[in-house]
Amino acid sequence: MTVFKQLETLATGESIPLEEALAGLPWNADGLLPAIAQQYDSGEVLMLAWMNRDALAETLDTGRVCYWSRSRRALWRKGESSGQVQRLRELRFDCDGDTILLKVDQTGPACHTGRRDCFYNRVEGDRLVVDRDVLIDPQDLYRQ
Amino acid sequence: MTVFKQLETLATGESIPLEEALAGLPWNADGLLPAIAQQYDSGEVLMLAWMNRDALAETLDTGRVCYWSRSRRALWRKGESSGQVQRLRELRFDCDGDTILLKVDQTGPACHTGRRDCFYNRVEGDRLVVDRDVLIDPQDLYRQ
């Protein structure tokens, strides 16, 4: 039985060694898992990005969220250029272990466009509407 | 310029035809995009699943959430066996159009284990702890 199948059968409050769960994570063909970042107190879904084994280990170790950038093919310490870091409050895995949920405390805008979150494109009838303000001009966010 | 690059530059309240955005979605190599389901009023992140073009079209058309099951390789109308459907309240795309956020009204448990959401495995020090109760026994959920 896989470790996440075993977890399904546990009662509330029961646990297994974290190391065992980490060893059983079903990384995809690229060695990645999707990670959802949610603001821990307001519940806003801020963004979705990807983690590899190293990004996850560093995040758990430092408490500062680190992703894997698929475009740059490098570890991406969220906020390293913009200053808009994510502090980890809680980390969760879903029932089959193939999605990570990060409860974070996000400094300022999470989105590279300078908006608070990345999900600012809302379907409204037959239109797609932008419904979030730019809080900080990206030219200021990435000027260093 | 791609349609999502164009959307980045719009001010709050501005919009484009939905059809144009849908035609410009960056489906992955398998023709899928990840979709996060969030309970519309409480903000709980319930689950992450995948949509293909048909699942997205059906969801927008019917207002009842439909995913693509990667294991069964078939459209998966959420709740078709369990009765635990998701009614769509709002649908959003992120800044580069490669993640969907569904604000839904979830009937009962979203998780196939009978728990309210799929993210019941919480990291606590060097343990992984199950911290959600089973609301409905899966044997009852899937008995039909």
Side-chain angles (χ1 to χ4, degrees):
Chain A
M1 202 197 289
T2 72
V3 63
F4 283 92
K5 277 282 165 207
Q6 181 198 335
L7 280 157
E8 285 189 13
T9 66
L10 298 195
T12 303
E14 293 185 321
S15 66
I16 64 164
L18 177 58
E19 207 170 312
E20 228 174 84
L22 296 180
L25 287 174
W27 303 100
N28 74 9
D30 297 321
L32 303 175
L33 290 178
I36 303 162
Q38 182 182 32
Q39 174 65 29
Y40 82 99
D41 49 2
S42 67
E44 298 161 275
V45 175
L46 299 168
M47 55 184 283
L48 180 138
W50 296 79
M51 287 188 166
N52 65 3
R53 198 180 293 270
D54 288 347
L56 175 59
E58 178 171 319
T59 298
L60 285 169
D61 191 43
T62 65
R64 182 172 155 188
V65 178
C66 175
Y67 299 104
W68 175 256
S69 165
R70 294 178 302 171
S71 52
R72 290 188 286 116
R73 304 193 59 74
L75 289 175
W76 161 32
R77 290 166 189 98
K78 177 70 183 160
E80 63 194 343
S81 357
S82 66
Q84 311 301 304
V85 301
Q86 294 180 342
R87 295 276 165 204
L88 185 68
R89 291 297 189 115
E90 197 175 274
L91 193 145
R92 292 174 173 273
F93 296 100
D94 75 350
C95 48
D96 43 18
D98 68 1
T99 305
I100 301 167
L101 177 60
L102 308 161
K103 304 253 186 166
V104 303
D105 196 5
Q106 168 74 52
T107 304
C111 186
H112 76 286
T113 63
R115 296 177 177 91
R116 172 66 176 170
D117 69 77
C118 295
F119 294 97
Y120 54 79
N121 298 301
R122 192 183 78 240
V123 174
E124 201 178 298
D126 61 356
R127 309 287 298 177
L128 191 63
V129 186
V130 170
D131 73 351
R132 300 261 196 278
D133 293 336
V134 171
L135 304 177
I136 304 181
D137 188 312
Q139 298 211 331
D140 295 326
L141 267 182
Y142 295 98
R143 179 182 54 194
Q144 285 199 23
Chain B
M1 201 195 291
T2 70
V3 64
F4 283 92
K5 277 282 165 208
Q6 181 198 336
L7 280 157
E8 285 189 13
T9 67
L10 298 194
T12 303
E14 293 186 322
S15 66
I16 65 165
L18 178 59
E19 208 171 310
E20 230 174 81
L22 295 181
L25 287 174
W27 302 100
N28 75 8
D30 297 320
L32 303 175
L33 289 178
I36 302 162
Q38 182 182 31
Q39 174 66 28
Y40 82 99
D41 48 2
S42 67
E44 299 160 275
V45 175
L46 299 169
M47 56 183 283
L48 180 138
W50 296 79
M51 286 187 166
N52 65 2
R53 198 180 291 273
D54 289 347
L56 175 58
E58 177 171 319
T59 298
L60 285 169
D61 192 42
T62 65
R64 183 173 154 186
V65 178
C66 176
Y67 299 104
W68 174 256
S69 166
R70 294 178 301 170
S71 52
R72 289 188 286 115
R73 304 194 58 74
L75 289 175
W76 162 31
R77 291 166 189 98
K78 177 70 183 160
E80 62 194 344
S81 356
S82 67
Q84 311 301 303
V85 301
Q86 293 180 341
R87 294 275 166 206
L88 185 69
R89 290 296 189 115
E90 198 175 274
L91 192 146
R92 293 173 173 273
F93 296 99
D94 75 350
C95 48
D96 43 18
D98 68 2
T99 305
I100 301 167
L101 177 59
L102 309 162
K103 305 254 187 167
V104 303
D105 196 5
Q106 168 73 53
T107 304
C111 185
H112 76 287
T113 64
R115 295 176 177 91
R116 171 65 176 171
D117 69 76
C118 295
F119 294 97
Y120 54 79
N121 298 302
R122 191 184 79 240
V123 174
E124 202 177 297
D126 62 355
R127 308 287 299 175
L128 191 62
V129 185
V130 170
D131 74 350
R132 300 260 197 278
D133 294 335
V134 172
L135 304 178
I136 304 181
D137 188 312
Q139 298 211 330
D140 294 327
L141 267 182
Y142 295 99
R143 179 182 54 194
Q144 284 200 24

